[in-house]
Amino acid sequence: MLTYTPPESRSVPTREKPWLLLLLAFAWLWPGVFSHDLWNPAEPQIFTAVEGLGGGGWLPQVFGRPFFDASPVYVWTAALFERLLSPWAADTYPAARFASVAFTALGLACCGMAGYRFLGRHHGRSVVLILLGSVGMLPMAHLMSGMSVVFAALSMVLGGFALSQHRAVAAPLLLGGGWVLLSLSGGLVLTAAMMLLALALLFSRQWRFRRYYVTLVGALVLALPLIPVYPLVLRYAEPEAFAVWRSAYALGAFGGFDTVQMAFSLPYYLKNLLWFALPAWPLAVWTACRSRIADTRWGVLALAWLVVAAVLLSLSPHRFQDHLIWLMPPLALAGAAQLDGLRRGAAAFINWFGIAAFGLFAVFLWTGFFAMNFGWPEKLAERSRYFSPYYIPEIDLMPMLVALSFTPLWLWAITRKHIRGRQAVTNWAAGVTLAWALLMTLFLPWLDAAKSHAPVVRQMEAALPPALQRQLSDGRACVAVSSADIRMRIFWKQYGSIPLVPEGNCRYRLVHTPKGTPVPQGSVLVWEGARPRNKVEGFALWDIKPEMR
């Protein structure tokens, strides 16, 4: 019997172009890595730890104190990139940020491979596209952040699970290696949770097969001897640092063995998940409604992983949105499973919402670029000066070429016809890439002037009387600073020319205090300043009386 299918309902064959995915991922990875100073909250201390390794030591330290706020693997890798690439290929800050790019690329590759192995051909690309389209991934991938190592480790774990049915050697290497890397980046609690997850999968009939038993045993044989290596080396080589690690950092987000912390943080993480994992979580919900994922091997894994991660996030004492990275591999996998079956209306909504949102944001960024550099529109130019008064209008040729190339490429991508689920997610990821690229090219000098502490440091040195500058340069005077004020010491070391003396008996003292704080009686305020619109953080230079030194 003949049937009629309306033209708009007929499936349209699409030619897969894997090189487009590689090009999009490459374009997504690099904006924001170059041409800016160290940004809070993590970059100043991480880079100082990276510099500290240049002296020949192996333990990351910041001004002689052991540094455990970021994974030692990240600091070692950043130091390696800095040594290899600076100064001939990149400046010191971008070279160190290459570590984030490398670990993020590793994570994307492992997640893509897991999508291919679990879901079939072409689905690996969908997993990667969903990750590229998630806004919460951007800071981790482009700024100095130890969370990129956590993402890479979790992605390796996911890849190990995915290969368990196909590769008897690679699967345990990825699974066990992911656990080891996770122990060095996410703490022992998260590592133990992922290992228990692997054991708990045996309760599901989907995971009771011979090759998974081999994978699990091989991964445990690899991981169990290697996980204690770092703590043991730390204990015998640096006993004081080991005491600090054991007391406050061994358990990752939950502190250390002597200071175990817990709190109820579920509302915070649920609220931030709405934007952090968009569009991963709506697509995962669609998959859950569309199919019986509990009857599939990947579905059991994704559900169990999400439950374990949700429990840990609920009990986490730190409300740190980057910890939502723990959820991203299973969410992206689940979101990709039914992406090709996404209804036409839902795909059109995702597509047009992304076009409207990122298109309007791109128009705003171009308009803001003209406002802050050419003074038009006047009202927007006034607001740009208000939020970043230290910005000096400048137009750099290379960022302009990048911005001018990204915009027409995005316009070309969104004009394709016959949009289905995968094309809609591709357009969404292209929109995120466009918005981030424009922000990190057109607005980067403006953002850097507002976020960097370099203008404040230079402002202080320029405000010093000439006589005092001469005394400081020839050593007849000095500026003291509290040894506990690590951040201020970092800023003046990176951007200034005046050496600070920790706890020194100096006539001048640099203090970290809100702007407008009263000067101690008998002392004189030489200078005070702060970053634009920052009412909490401020700096002041005092000429203190002798009895206060």
Side-chain angles (χ1 to χ4, degrees), residues 292-332:
R292 297 175 59 88
I293 59 176
D295 294 338
T296 62
R297 189 170 295 141
W298 66 265
V300 172
L301 171 62
L303 285 175
W305 186 317
L306 290 173
V307 169
V308 169
V311 171
L312 293 180
L313 290 173
S314 301
L315 299 177
S316 174
H318 300 292
R319 297 186 174 184
F320 182 42
Q321 62 194 25
D322 280 3
H323 284 159
L324 289 168
I325 290 293
W326 301 352
L327 300 172
M328 291 308 300
L331 278 178

Side-chain angles (χ1 to χ4, degrees), residues 85-443:
L85 301 178
S86 176
W88 67 273
D91 294 333
T92 54
Y93 300 161
R97 293 188 189 104
F98 273 47
S100 296
V101 176
F103 283 116
T104 303
L106 173 62
L108 293 174
C110 289
C111 286
M113 181 270 296
Y116 169 73
R117 291 295 183 181
F118 273 132
L119 305 175
R121 190 180 179 187
H122 307 317
H123 286 86
R125 303 171 194 174
S126 300
V127 173
V128 174
L129 286 170
I130 291 172
L131 291 171
L132 296 182
S134 298
V135 178
M137 296 278 293
L138 290 170
M140 172 209 74
H142 300 92
L143 305 178
M144 294 182 211
S145 170
M147 290 305 296
S148 59
V149 189
V150 177
F151 173 67
L154 292 173
S155 301
M156 289 173 63
V157 171
L158 183 66
F161 284 128
L163 287 178
S164 60
Q165 193 177 7
H166 308 279
R167 297 288 186 268
V169 176
L173 288 177
L174 269 181
L175 185 59
W179 289 340
V180 174
L181 186 59
L182 194 58
S183 70
L184 291 168
S185 56
L188 297 181
V189 169
L190 182 58
T191 306
M194 298 308 297
M195 296 176 76
L196 291 174
L197 168 65
L199 294 172
L201 290 177
L202 294 175
F203 288 100
S204 169
R205 60 180 177 83
Q206 303 290 343
W207 285 90
R208 289 198 294 266
F209 57 95
R210 191 167 67 106
R211 288 201 173 187
Y212 181 63
Y213 297 144
V214 174
T215 297
L216 191 56
V217 171
L220 290 172
V221 169
L222 173 68
L224 291 179
L226 291 181
I227 288 176
V229 168
Y230 174 73
L232 289 175
V233 171
L234 192 63
R235 179 180 180 181
Y236 290 104
E238 302 284 348
E240 294 183 0
F242 173 77
V244 174
W245 176 83
R246 181 186 180 281
S247 173
Y249 294 95
L251 304 181
F254 298 90
F257 291 105
D258 297 338
T259 57
V260 179
Q261 304 173 31
M262 288 187 184
F264 184 67
S265 303
L266 183 61
Y268 169 84
Y269 284 109
L270 286 178
K271 177 182 66 176
N272 284 277
L273 183 67
L274 296 178
W275 65 267
F276 189 98
L278 193 70
W281 71 263
L283 294 173
V285 170
W286 162 257
T287 297
C289 297
R290 177 84 174 182
S291 61
R292 297 175 59 88
I293 59 176
D295 294 338
T296 62
R297 189 170 295 141
W298 66 265
V300 172
L301 171 62
L303 285 175
W305 186 317
L306 290 173
V307 169
V308 169
V311 171
L312 293 180
L313 290 173
S314 301
L315 299 177
S316 174
H318 300 292
R319 297 186 174 184
F320 182 42
Q321 62 194 25
D322 280 3
H323 284 159
L324 289 168
I325 290 293
W326 301 352
L327 300 172
M328 291 308 300
L331 278 178
L333 179 67
Q338 290 293 324
L339 188 59
D340 290 336
L342 196 64
R343 291 178 180 173
R344 182 187 296 271
F349 175 78
I350 293 174
N351 186 54
W352 286 107
F353 181 80
I355 290 175
F358 299 121
L360 288 174
F361 189 60
V363 171
F364 169 78
L365 291 177
W366 275 109
T367 306
F369 171 77
F370 283 100
M372 64 190 183
N373 287 288
F374 302 104
W376 180 90
E378 293 184 6
K379 190 65 177 178
L380 193 57
E382 179 184 336
R383 299 307 294 173
S384 70
R385 289 191 295 270
Y386 173 79
F387 285 106
S388 187
Y390 299 145
Y391 172 68
I392 300 175
E394 60 175 300
I395 299 178
D396 195 349
L397 179 60
M398 184 55 66
M400 280 294 299
L401 292 177
V402 173
L404 288 171
S405 62
F406 269 83
T407 305
L409 285 175
W410 176 75
L411 291 173
W412 168 77
I414 65 173
T415 54
R416 295 177 300 168
K417 298 180 180 180
H418 311 299
I419 297 298
R420 297 294 187 269
R422 192 180 306 172
Q423 290 78 22
V425 171
T426 302
N427 288 351
W428 181 284
V432 170
T433 305
L434 170 71
W436 180 253
L438 293 183
L439 187 66
M440 291 294 107
T441 51
L442 300 179
F443 266 63

